Amino acid sequence: MKYVMRSVRADEWPLARRLRLEALQDPVAPVAFLDSYEAAVARPDAFWQDRTAAAAEGGDVRQFVAESPEGEWVGTVTALVERPEDDVRFGEAPEVVQGHLVGVFVRPRVRGSGVADALFRVAVDWCWSLSAPRLERVRLYVHEDNPRAAAFYRRFGFVPSGQRMAVPGDAGAWELEYVMERERG
């Protein structure tokens, strides 16, 4: 089946909410997301509207979805721009302007079909396409107990940086940073 990779639109917040709630019910959600189903389902519509609008309107955040010909969303990834002068969202402040991929989810029935590869390609390409600011690298974090995701990230071209951050609220657990540097040339 052919899927279209595209940015979300602001008015699609109900679909974005539905897919996020499904992602948070996935068996690996506790090690894949720094969020819970219980917290997410309790958020008001205004939260989802604002979140989706911010990821649709350009700027420093862009959410991409994989959409079937029938309009069903089967996967998503969000790309954020991080600057050294920004408030720290994850770990430490970056040393360079960089992209950060978060919120990765592909419905189980389409895993292994190339959807994740296509989502990552569009998200990374978006990061590299920015000229103001020009990103030097793209990073993501993966929980130390999520080998399936880590294997995909390595296969896609991300490499462990050696940096890690403690998982909020889970003493002794670590999120490992993976990076992809901009090709020089």
Side-chain angles (χ1 to χ4, degrees):
M1 177 178 288
K2 289 274 191 178
Y3 296 97
V4 173
M5 306 302 139
R6 64 171 182 83
S7 299
V8 297
R9 294 183 290 271
D11 65 343
E12 294 177 316
W13 68 268
L15 293 171
R17 178 183 186 273
R18 186 176 311 127
L19 191 61
R20 177 65 172 189
L21 293 176
E22 182 178 336
L24 291 170
Q25 292 177 318
D26 191 272
V28 299
V31 297
F33 301 104
L34 299 177
D35 196 4
S36 71
Y37 176 83
E38 294 75 21
V41 77
R43 292 184 181 113
D45 289 350
F47 170 87
W48 298 102
Q49 292 164 353
D50 292 346
R51 178 180 169 135
T52 307
E57 294 173 359
D60 287 351
V61 180
R62 185 68 53 93
Q63 181 180 3
F64 299 96
V65 293
E67 184 177 49
S68 75
E70 298 78 32
E72 177 190 19
W73 289 8
V74 297
T76 186
V77 63
T78 299
L80 313 167
V81 174
E82 298 176 318
R83 295 174 179 82
E85 66 271 14
D86 291 345
D87 291 334
V88 176
R89 294 182 192 160
F90 305 93
E92 298 177 3
E95 294 179 12
V96 298
V97 180
Q98 64 187 13
H100 189 142
L101 303 185
V102 298
V104 179
F105 176 69
V106 174
R107 287 192 163 140
R109 66 180 171 73
V110 297
R111 291 180 186 155
S113 69
V115 167
D117 288 277
L119 280 168
F120 262 63
R121 177 55 39 221
V122 73
V124 169
D125 286 351
W126 177 79
C127 289
W128 296 149
S129 76
L130 298 174
S131 59
R134 182 177 191 271
L135 306 185
E136 296 300 320
R137 70 182 200 153
V138 177
R139 76 171 174 172
L140 54 83
Y141 281 97
V142 62
H143 192 284
E144 64 186 343
D145 293 332
N146 195 348
R148 181 186 77 200
F152 170 76
Y153 302 145
R154 282 191 307 275
R155 184 178 60 73
F156 194 82
F158 284 84
V159 296
S161 71
Q163 298 295 315
R164 65 184 188 164
M165 76 172 187
V167 174
D170 189 359
W174 297 98
E175 291 277 338
L176 309 176
E177 183 188 56
Y178 280 63
V179 299
M180 178 184 287
E181 301 287 338
R182 178 185 285 279
E183 291 182 16
R184 304 289 176 209

